[in-house]
Amino acid sequence: RAMAQSSDANTRAGALVLEKGGNIVDAAIAVSFALGVVEPDASGIGGDGMAVLYLQGMTEPVAIDYKDQVPIRATRDNPLLVASTGDGAIAANIPGVVAGLDLLYRRYASKRIPWSELVAPAVEYAENGYELDAALPTTIAEGRRFFEKHRSSARIYLPDGKVPKVGDRFVNKDYAATLRTIAKDGADRFYRGAIARRISDDMAKNGGLITADDLAQYRAIERRPLAGRYRDHQI
């Protein structure tokens, strides 16, 4: 089977959804999940974001806010934070991407493409690999000392102790397993189910601050976007 290159894999994921009759929101969801696999240094289900929609039939745009949140224990007097070096589990905030994409799907997707099919391209790239361009190897080389500090990170991003090269086949089967659960059982598993328990257990073992309660209370929010004018343009 021919491997997708990281530079075009996410585009193909979105195009395939449109070819199947999905709308632009369906395509954006598929692209976002795929980007988390092929561009993990800039995106992913551990991150956050915002989406601004102005779809046909809307009288005004809407903003979907799925920014990250600080864990409840992240207080100025927490000794773990005082001693933190700024990386590892303690650096993680409560992620919003899965909740944001779920809200977009429930309110604005075409419903012609099942949720599981929107996640499927990302599962494929994570399970079977994709061909690296220069982006991820460059990021790993620049941050190698941080990857080496954490055994789980080194196992994935420094296979055999080496920085991956352009043209290598890059695989992340752990990510594929997580995505399969999200595809099958929905976003709720990430915040209040099996994945949430694994996250909170791992945080407890490795000095992180995110708890099961932090994850369970997270919600993406629909907002009216801020607006202004620049010259003759409404922004």
Side-chain angles (χ1 to χ4, degrees):
R1 183 185 321 189
M3 288 185 295
Q5 289 189 333
S6 53
S7 56
D8 68 4
N10 55 294
T11 305
R12 290 171 58 181
L16 182 62
V17 167
L18 294 175
E19 290 170 7
K20 290 180 177 180
N23 67 6
I24 193 66
V25 176
D26 294 313
I29 292 168
V31 167
S32 182
F33 275 119
L35 276 172
V37 178
V38 304
E39 196 180 83
D41 48 340
S43 147
I45 59 174
D48 68 338
M50 297 281 292
V52 180
L53 282 73
Y54 197 11
L55 305 176
Q56 187 174 9
M58 284 183 174
T59 57
E60 62 180 10
V62 297
I64 308 301
D65 177 349
Y66 48 100
K67 297 296 291 179
D68 59 350
Q69 291 181 347
V70 175
I72 192 64
R73 293 170 55 216
T75 56
R76 290 184 178 181
D77 59 350
N78 188 317
L80 291 174
L81 275 179
V82 173
S84 171
T85 57
D87 64 305
I90 198 168
N93 279 345
I94 306 163
V97 163
V98 177
L101 299 183
D102 174 68
L103 190 153
L104 285 164
Y105 180 75
R106 287 185 287 107
R107 295 191 185 177
Y108 296 104
S110 70
K111 303 304 188 292
R112 291 191 290 269
I113 312 294
W115 169 262
S116 60
E117 289 190 25
L118 300 181
V119 188
V123 174
E124 166 75 13
Y125 299 142
E127 179 69 30
N128 296 312
Y130 60 93
E131 185 179 325
L132 288 171
D133 58 20
L136 186 58
T138 299
T139 299
I140 295 173
E142 291 174 350
R144 180 170 185 161
R145 67 189 186 282
F146 297 110
F147 289 104
E148 290 175 334
K149 286 175 64 175
H150 308 285
R151 184 172 59 182
S152 57
S153 298
R155 178 174 58 83
I156 295 170
Y157 294 105
L158 292 168
D160 299 321
K162 300 176 182 177
V163 175
K165 300 187 299 295
V166 175
D168 281 356
R169 178 172 174 267
F170 190 78
V171 174
N172 191 339
K173 291 185 181 294
D174 289 345
Y175 203 171
T178 299
L179 289 170
R180 279 199 197 90
T181 300
I182 293 171
K184 178 177 179 290
D185 299 325
D188 195 62
R189 285 293 185 272
F190 189 88
Y191 293 97
R192 287 164 288 279
I195 299 173
R197 288 193 294 273
R198 291 187 65 184
I199 293 171
S200 59
D201 288 348
D202 185 77
M203 288 283 161
K205 292 176 182 176
N206 292 287
L209 300 179
I210 298 174
T211 66
D213 288 343
D214 283 320
L215 291 161
Q217 61 78 46
Y218 186 88
R219 300 291 187 278
I221 302 169
E222 187 170 308
R223 302 186 186 276
R224 188 175 188 178
L226 297 175
R229 296 199 69 83
Y230 175 73
R231 296 183 177 178
D232 295 327
H233 303 284
Q234 184 178 18
I235 307 298

